[in-house]
Amino acid sequence: MYELTKPHIWSGRIDSTERPEMFRLHQSVECKSVYEYVQVLGKNSMGIIGFKCDEGVRRNQGRTGSFEAPDALRKNLASLPMPPGASIYDFGNIICEDGRLEAAQKELGEAVSRLLQQNIFPIILGGGHEVAYGHYLGYKQWELSNLKMGIVNIDAHFDMRPYTDQTSSGTMFRQILDENPNASYFCAGIQKNGNTSYLFNTAAEYGCEYILEDEIHQESIQDCLQKADEFVKKSDFSMLTLCSDVLEASSAPGVSAPSPFGLHPKLVRTLLGRLAANPKIKSFDIAEVNPKLDIGDRTVKLGAQLVFEVICARNNL
């Protein structure tokens, strides 16, 4: 259920082999085993780990194909400029095999926990949005249950469906809130046409804070950022997760549930940049990029650029 990243994935344009200010990510990212202790860390250390899985999407009756996203995102990150002073490691992929979603999420949690304990900021490349539960398990295994945890989700959907029969990519945040009484949930980008009244009622019962998609626009973005900041301020630490189906379908056609009324990429970039720069945000995942359904690599390229925004924001802390 684990593999090292193949070296050829990190390749691309080379402007110089001697001047670091001319380097690109593929020249600087260090590939390591997640089971290997990183002894020498830079000031702003980040660790990329892939979660090759779309079993949760299959269970949620969505369109599968995001299994291939982690390596596709890496390939599109490779030639982007290396931020000066950053230390970026690639810790390979957790792989969901034979429908064993819960086992894969557990293994992802163990990997995330290792990175957090080494003061490495995890950047998790999904996979379906079931990646968020494995992401959370990294904190649970780190035994931080007595601290106030914030979950910040940029998403069109609450993902708070019942999970009596089985878990899926539509149940993670309800699972987390049921398990952790010290966790709270904030979601930006919720679409009225993507959530039943049951889900809105469930979000209210769990005390979820949210901003509707039609409330996020250029004129309101500062107010939205302030609401997000106020939510994060109330926690001891927070995890940040992005579901790519929050984006408008014209910019991100390669997702399980594309939306013509999704958010413009620049608005999502602004939200991510502000949130990722907050020291209380301790980790990030991106979900639902689906190369199988993409058009001209449009979604994969956008997903890589949004990951890059997070890298840059963390590097400026």
Side-chain angles (χ1 to χ4, degrees):
M1 297 178 70
Y2 176 74
E3 67 178 8
L4 295 171
T5 301
K6 297 176 177 62
H8 74 270
I9 290 174
W10 288 106
S11 61
R13 174 177 176 147
I14 295 175
D15 296 324
S16 173
T17 58
E18 298 177 355
R19 300 180 62 181
E21 70 271 23
M22 298 177 69
F23 284 5
R24 298 175 185 272
L25 284 174
H26 70 88
Q27 294 174 272
S28 302
V29 171
E30 296 183 47
C31 293
K32 294 182 177 291
S33 167
V34 75
Y35 304 105
E36 178 182 353
Y37 186 80
V38 181
Q39 296 182 349
V40 181
L41 296 177
K43 176 185 175 185
N44 298 319
S45 296
M46 291 164 264
I48 294 170
I49 186 162
F51 186 65
K52 288 189 171 183
C53 178
D54 51 20
E55 171 63 16
V57 173
R58 187 194 66 77
R59 294 183 186 183
N60 201 30
Q61 303 176 48
R63 302 188 301 168
T64 59
S66 54
F67 183 95
E68 302 299 334
D71 286 345
L73 288 166
R74 286 180 173 101
K75 289 177 181 178
N76 281 272
L77 281 164
S79 288
L80 296 179
M82 180 68 185
S87 297
I88 303 176
Y89 305 92
D90 186 333
F91 290 100
N93 295 307
I94 305 298
I95 306 169
C96 179
E97 298 176 326
D98 303 321
R100 298 173 61 210
L101 173 58
E102 289 77 13
Q105 289 171 323
K106 182 176 182 293
E107 188 162 351
L108 176 61
E110 291 170 355
V112 169
S113 181
R114 288 189 188 96
L115 300 190
L116 291 169
Q117 291 180 56
Q118 294 181 69
N119 201 31
I120 298 173
F121 183 89
I123 296 176
I124 310 157
L125 310 178
H129 208 180
E130 62 268 24
V131 66
Y133 184 72
H135 181 175
Y136 156 74
L137 289 178
Y139 291 98
K140 183 178 180 180
Q141 293 178 25
W142 201 16
E143 299 182 350
L144 299 176
S145 58
N146 292 327
L147 299 178
K148 292 181 180 179
M149 178 181 188
I151 305 160
V152 182
N153 182 26
I154 303 175
D155 197 341
H157 307 101
F158 285 115
D159 291 333
M160 297 182 72
R161 291 190 171 132
Y163 54 94
T164 306
D165 296 328
Q166 64 179 359
T167 63
S168 73
S169 64
T171 65
M172 309 81 58
F173 301 111
R174 189 169 184 166
Q175 290 175 256
I176 296 170
L177 294 172
D178 281 343
E179 288 182 20
N180 189 343
N182 291 319
S184 54
Y185 180 34
F186 176 91
C187 192
I190 289 294
Q191 295 193 15
K192 295 176 183 176
N193 59 2
N195 298 270
T196 63
S197 57
Y198 170 85
L199 289 170
F200 276 98
N201 291 337
T202 300
E205 289 171 10
Y206 280 82
C208 170
E209 299 179 39
Y210 61 90
I211 306 174
L212 295 171
E213 167 270 324
D214 58 11
E215 295 175 327
I216 304 175
H217 45 78
Q218 197 58 49
E219 291 74 22
S220 70
I221 191 64
Q222 292 304 318
D223 290 336
C224 295
L225 290 170
Q226 184 175 349
K227 288 180 182 178
D229 284 343
E230 289 172 354
F231 174 83
V232 173
K233 189 183 296 183
K234 291 184 291 187
S235 67
D236 291 310
F237 62 91
S238 292
M239 58 178 271
L240 175 61
T241 176
L242 167 67
C243 188
S244 299
D245 66 15
V246 77
L247 293 152
E248 60 186 15
S250 58
S251 300
V255 299
S256 178
S259 172
F261 298 118
L263 296 177
H264 191 279
K266 287 187 177 181
L267 293 172
V268 175
R269 179 178 68 175
T270 300
L271 287 168
L272 277 180
R274 175 74 159 264
L275 286 162
N278 191 317
K280 284 193 173 183
I281 298 287
K282 300 298 184 183
S283 55
F284 167 72
D285 74 64
I286 182 171
E288 305 277 350
V289 172
N290 192 324
K292 180 180 175 182
L293 300 172
D294 209 0
I295 300 173
D297 289 338
R298 198 181 304 171
T299 313
V300 174
K301 289 177 181 177
L302 176 55
Q305 293 282 345
L306 293 174
V307 172
F308 186 68
E309 290 295 320
V310 171
I311 290 172
C312 292
R314 296 303 302 181
N315 193 53
N316 289 330
L317 283 177

